């Protein structure tokens, strides 16, 4: 979620066949059943590969992420299950607040701060309108300040 900007529902909707580890892409079905492809971070690809070969429970389900233990073992992970996993790791890390969607916002903000073009940000995040992607620029004062300073420097050089 952090390295691809996926929504919780998008993560939970992933099928094993949606992940192309070799090519480094994930096929995502977003809001309104709109399909997009997002790059798969190489480190995340390695973790997914390990999960598939060593940790994913045996099942007939093609859903990527499954319940790992308990009476629902092998069934698709649910939104409540994802929140429970997130809460467990948040508590273990000593993070007092936060939610899965915050990872998506962190992804968008990091891209905006890195200067990624708004149309690319829009495509990666699965937004219908560029205005939605532009919101991440407002969350990024360092990026705005750097662009402002660069423009002022160009004006002074004339």
């Amino acid at each position: 979620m952090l390295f691809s900007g996926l929504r919780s529902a998008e993560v939970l909707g992933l099928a094993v066949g949606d992940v192309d580890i070799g090519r480094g892409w994930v096929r995502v079905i977003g809001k309104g059943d709109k399909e997009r492809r997002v790059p798969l971070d190489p480190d995340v690809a390695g973790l997914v590969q390990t999960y598939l070969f060593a940790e994913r429970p045996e099942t007939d389900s093609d859903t990527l992420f499954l319940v790992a233990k308990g009476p629902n073992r092998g069934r698709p992970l649910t939104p409540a299950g994802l929140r429970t996993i997130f809460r467990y790791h948040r508590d273990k890390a000593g993070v007092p607040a936060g939610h899965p969607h915050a990872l998506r916002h962190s992804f968008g903000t990091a891209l905006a701060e890195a200067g990624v073009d708004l149309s690319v940000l829009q495509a990666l995040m699965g937004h219908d309108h560029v205005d939605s992607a532009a919101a991440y620029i407002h969350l990024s004062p360092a990026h705005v300040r750097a662009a402002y300073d660069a423009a002022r420097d160009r004006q002074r050089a004339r």
Side-chain angles (χ1 to χ4, degrees), residues 65-143:
F65 294 111
L66 305 173
V67 176
K69 57 185 177 180
N72 293 318
R73 178 178 169 80
R75 291 189 184 155
L77 188 62
T78 64
L82 181 62
R83 286 190 303 273
T84 298
I85 291 168
F86 194 86
R87 189 178 317 110
Y88 170 81
H89 288 286
R90 186 183 66 212
D91 293 345
K92 190 170 177 133
V95 177
H99 50 85
H101 202 72
L103 299 176
R104 177 174 165 80
H105 286 284
S106 296
F107 173 79
T109 300
L111 291 179
E113 287 176 348
V116 170
D117 184 80
L118 277 178
S119 61
V120 173
L121 184 57
Q122 175 187 359
L124 289 171
M125 301 290 289
H127 289 145
D128 285 335
H129 305 285
V130 75
D131 294 348
S132 298
Y136 292 99
I137 297 297
H138 299 296
L139 296 174
S140 169
H143 175 73

Side-chain angles (χ1 to χ4, degrees), residues 36-52:
R36 70 182 190 278
R37 288 174 26 113
V38 296
L40 181 62
D41 179 84
D43 292 333
V44 174
L47 293 170
V48 170
Q49 189 168 26
T50 298
Y51 166 74
L52 288 171

Side-chain angles (χ1 to χ4, degrees), residues 16 51 56-64 66 73-76:
V16 172
Y51 166 74
R56 186 173 182 271
E58 290 288 329
T59 184
D60 291 333
S61 175
D62 68 342
T63 301
L64 179 61
L66 305 173
R73 178 178 169 80
R75 291 189 184 155

